[in-house]
Short mmCIF file of all heavy atoms in Angstrom, two decimals:
data_model
loop_
_atom_site.label_atom_id
_atom_site.label_comp_id
_atom_site.label_asym_id
_atom_site.label_seq_id
_atom_site.Cartn_x
_atom_site.Cartn_y
_atom_site.Cartn_z
N ALA A 559 -37.27 -27.66 65.20
CA ALA A 559 -36.71 -28.66 66.11
C ALA A 559 -37.33 -28.57 67.49
O ALA A 559 -37.63 -29.59 68.14
CB ALA A 559 -35.19 -28.49 66.19
N LEU A 560 -37.56 -27.31 67.96
CA LEU A 560 -38.18 -27.11 69.26
C LEU A 560 -39.60 -27.66 69.28
O LEU A 560 -40.02 -28.32 70.24
CB LEU A 560 -38.18 -25.62 69.62
CG LEU A 560 -38.84 -25.24 70.95
CD1 LEU A 560 -38.13 -25.93 72.10
CD2 LEU A 560 -38.82 -23.73 71.13
N GLN A 561 -40.36 -27.38 68.20
CA GLN A 561 -41.73 -27.90 68.12
C GLN A 561 -41.73 -29.42 68.10
O GLN A 561 -42.58 -30.05 68.73
CB GLN A 561 -42.41 -27.34 66.88
CG GLN A 561 -42.70 -25.84 66.95
CD GLN A 561 -43.23 -25.29 65.64
OE1 GLN A 561 -43.14 -25.94 64.60
NE2 GLN A 561 -43.79 -24.09 65.70
N THR A 562 -40.77 -30.02 67.37
CA THR A 562 -40.68 -31.49 67.34
C THR A 562 -40.37 -32.04 68.72
O THR A 562 -40.97 -33.03 69.16
CB THR A 562 -39.58 -31.92 66.35
OG1 THR A 562 -39.89 -31.41 65.05
CG2 THR A 562 -39.50 -33.44 66.27
N SER A 563 -39.44 -31.36 69.44
CA SER A 563 -39.10 -31.81 70.79
C SER A 563 -40.30 -31.68 71.73
O SER A 563 -40.57 -32.56 72.55
CB SER A 563 -37.94 -30.99 71.32
OG SER A 563 -36.80 -31.15 70.52
N GLN A 564 -41.04 -30.56 71.60
CA GLN A 564 -42.22 -30.38 72.43
C GLN A 564 -43.25 -31.47 72.17
O GLN A 564 -43.86 -32.02 73.09
CB GLN A 564 -42.83 -29.00 72.18
CG GLN A 564 -42.01 -27.85 72.72
CD GLN A 564 -42.60 -26.50 72.36
OE1 GLN A 564 -43.40 -26.39 71.44
NE2 GLN A 564 -42.19 -25.48 73.09
N LYS A 565 -43.44 -31.78 70.88
CA LYS A 565 -44.40 -32.83 70.52
C LYS A 565 -43.98 -34.16 71.10
O LYS A 565 -44.80 -34.93 71.61
CB LYS A 565 -44.52 -32.92 69.00
CG LYS A 565 -45.55 -33.93 68.53
CD LYS A 565 -45.64 -33.93 67.02
CE LYS A 565 -46.66 -34.96 66.53
NZ LYS A 565 -46.74 -35.00 65.05
N LYS A 566 -42.66 -34.44 71.04
CA LYS A 566 -42.16 -35.71 71.57
C LYS A 566 -42.34 -35.78 73.07
O LYS A 566 -42.73 -36.82 73.62
CB LYS A 566 -40.68 -35.86 71.20
CG LYS A 566 -40.11 -37.22 71.57
CD LYS A 566 -38.69 -37.35 71.06
CE LYS A 566 -38.13 -38.73 71.41
NZ LYS A 566 -36.74 -38.90 70.89
N VAL A 567 -42.09 -34.65 73.78
CA VAL A 567 -42.28 -34.63 75.23
C VAL A 567 -43.73 -34.86 75.59
O VAL A 567 -44.06 -35.62 76.53
CB VAL A 567 -41.77 -33.29 75.80
CG1 VAL A 567 -42.16 -33.15 77.26
CG2 VAL A 567 -40.26 -33.21 75.67
N ILE A 568 -44.64 -34.20 74.82
CA ILE A 568 -46.07 -34.38 75.10
C ILE A 568 -46.47 -35.83 74.89
O ILE A 568 -47.22 -36.42 75.70
CB ILE A 568 -46.89 -33.45 74.20
CG1 ILE A 568 -46.65 -31.98 74.60
CG2 ILE A 568 -48.38 -33.77 74.28
CD1 ILE A 568 -47.26 -30.98 73.64
N GLU A 569 -45.98 -36.44 73.79
CA GLU A 569 -46.31 -37.85 73.53
C GLU A 569 -45.77 -38.74 74.64
O GLU A 569 -46.44 -39.68 75.07
CB GLU A 569 -45.72 -38.27 72.18
CG GLU A 569 -46.41 -37.66 70.97
CD GLU A 569 -47.87 -38.10 70.87
OE1 GLU A 569 -48.17 -39.24 71.27
OE2 GLU A 569 -48.70 -37.31 70.41
N MET A 570 -44.55 -38.44 75.11
CA MET A 570 -43.98 -39.25 76.19
C MET A 570 -44.80 -39.10 77.46
O MET A 570 -45.03 -40.08 78.18
CB MET A 570 -42.53 -38.83 76.44
CG MET A 570 -41.58 -39.20 75.30
SD MET A 570 -39.90 -38.59 75.56
CE MET A 570 -39.47 -39.48 77.03
N GLU A 571 -45.26 -37.85 77.75
CA GLU A 571 -46.09 -37.66 78.94
C GLU A 571 -47.42 -38.37 78.81
O GLU A 571 -47.92 -38.97 79.78
CB GLU A 571 -46.31 -36.16 79.16
CG GLU A 571 -45.04 -35.42 79.60
CD GLU A 571 -45.28 -33.93 79.75
OE1 GLU A 571 -46.38 -33.47 79.36
OE2 GLU A 571 -44.38 -33.24 80.26
N LYS A 572 -47.99 -38.34 77.58
CA LYS A 572 -49.25 -39.06 77.37
C LYS A 572 -49.07 -40.56 77.57
O LYS A 572 -49.88 -41.23 78.20
CB LYS A 572 -49.76 -38.77 75.96
CG LYS A 572 -50.34 -37.37 75.79
CD LYS A 572 -50.53 -37.01 74.33
CE LYS A 572 -51.48 -37.95 73.66
NZ LYS A 572 -51.68 -37.58 72.23
N VAL A 573 -47.97 -41.08 76.99
CA VAL A 573 -47.72 -42.52 77.12
C VAL A 573 -47.48 -42.90 78.57
O VAL A 573 -47.97 -43.93 79.06
CB VAL A 573 -46.51 -42.91 76.25
CG1 VAL A 573 -46.06 -44.32 76.56
CG2 VAL A 573 -46.86 -42.79 74.78
N MET A 778 -43.91 -47.86 70.34
CA MET A 778 -43.51 -46.47 70.60
C MET A 778 -43.17 -46.27 72.07
O MET A 778 -42.23 -45.56 72.42
CB MET A 778 -44.65 -45.52 70.20
CG MET A 778 -44.88 -45.43 68.71
SD MET A 778 -43.48 -44.67 67.85
CE MET A 778 -43.62 -43.00 68.46
N LEU A 781 -39.70 -47.78 72.72
CA LEU A 781 -38.64 -46.96 72.13
C LEU A 781 -38.42 -45.67 72.90
O LEU A 781 -37.29 -45.22 73.08
CB LEU A 781 -38.98 -46.64 70.66
CG LEU A 781 -38.97 -47.82 69.69
CD1 LEU A 781 -39.43 -47.36 68.31
CD2 LEU A 781 -37.60 -48.46 69.60
N SER A 782 -39.51 -45.05 73.36
CA SER A 782 -39.41 -43.74 74.01
C SER A 782 -38.85 -43.84 75.42
O SER A 782 -38.09 -42.98 75.86
CB SER A 782 -40.79 -43.06 74.07
OG SER A 782 -41.30 -42.87 72.77
N HIS A 783 -39.21 -44.90 76.17
CA HIS A 783 -38.88 -44.96 77.59
C HIS A 783 -37.75 -45.92 77.94
O HIS A 783 -37.14 -45.79 79.00
CB HIS A 783 -40.12 -45.34 78.40
CG HIS A 783 -41.18 -44.27 78.39
ND1 HIS A 783 -42.08 -44.13 77.36
CD2 HIS A 783 -41.46 -43.29 79.29
CE1 HIS A 783 -42.88 -43.11 77.62
NE2 HIS A 783 -42.52 -42.59 78.79
N ASP A 786 -34.40 -45.88 73.97
CA ASP A 786 -33.88 -44.62 73.39
C ASP A 786 -33.81 -44.73 71.86
O ASP A 786 -32.73 -44.73 71.27
CB ASP A 786 -32.51 -44.29 73.95
CG ASP A 786 -32.04 -42.90 73.50
OD1 ASP A 786 -32.89 -42.13 73.00
OD2 ASP A 786 -30.84 -42.61 73.64
N GLY A 787 -34.99 -44.86 71.23
CA GLY A 787 -35.01 -45.04 69.79
C GLY A 787 -36.12 -44.24 69.12
O GLY A 787 -36.95 -43.62 69.78
N GLU A 788 -36.12 -44.25 67.77
CA GLU A 788 -37.12 -43.58 66.97
C GLU A 788 -37.61 -44.53 65.89
O GLU A 788 -36.88 -45.43 65.46
CB GLU A 788 -36.53 -42.32 66.32
CG GLU A 788 -36.08 -41.27 67.32
CD GLU A 788 -35.44 -40.07 66.64
OE1 GLU A 788 -35.25 -40.15 65.40
OE2 GLU A 788 -35.13 -39.08 67.33
N MET A 789 -38.86 -44.31 65.43
CA MET A 789 -39.45 -45.21 64.44
C MET A 789 -40.08 -44.39 63.32
O MET A 789 -40.66 -43.33 63.56
CB MET A 789 -40.52 -46.09 65.10
CG MET A 789 -41.21 -47.05 64.13
SD MET A 789 -42.39 -48.15 64.96
CE MET A 789 -43.65 -46.99 65.44
N MET A 804 -34.44 -46.72 64.56
CA MET A 804 -33.06 -46.33 64.88
C MET A 804 -32.90 -46.34 66.39
O MET A 804 -33.55 -45.58 67.11
CB MET A 804 -32.75 -44.93 64.34
CG MET A 804 -31.38 -44.41 64.73
SD MET A 804 -30.06 -45.41 64.03
CE MET A 804 -28.63 -44.75 64.89
N LYS A 806 -30.46 -45.76 69.58
CA LYS A 806 -29.26 -44.99 69.91
C LYS A 806 -28.62 -45.56 71.18
O LYS A 806 -29.25 -46.26 71.95
CB LYS A 806 -29.62 -43.52 70.14
CG LYS A 806 -30.43 -42.91 69.01
CD LYS A 806 -30.93 -41.53 69.40
CE LYS A 806 -31.87 -40.96 68.35
NZ LYS A 806 -32.44 -39.68 68.76
#
Side-chain angles (χ1 to χ4, degrees):
L560 179 60
Q561 291 173 345
T562 302
S563 299
Q564 289 176 341
K565 183 178 179 181
K566 186 174 181 179
V567 170
I568 293 171
E569 289 297 328
M570 291 176 63
E571 291 178 351
K572 286 166 61 179
V573 169
M778 291 293 292
L781 293 176
S782 300
H783 292 82
D786 187 14
E788 298 177 353
M789 179 176 69
M804 175 64 190
K806 308 171 186 175

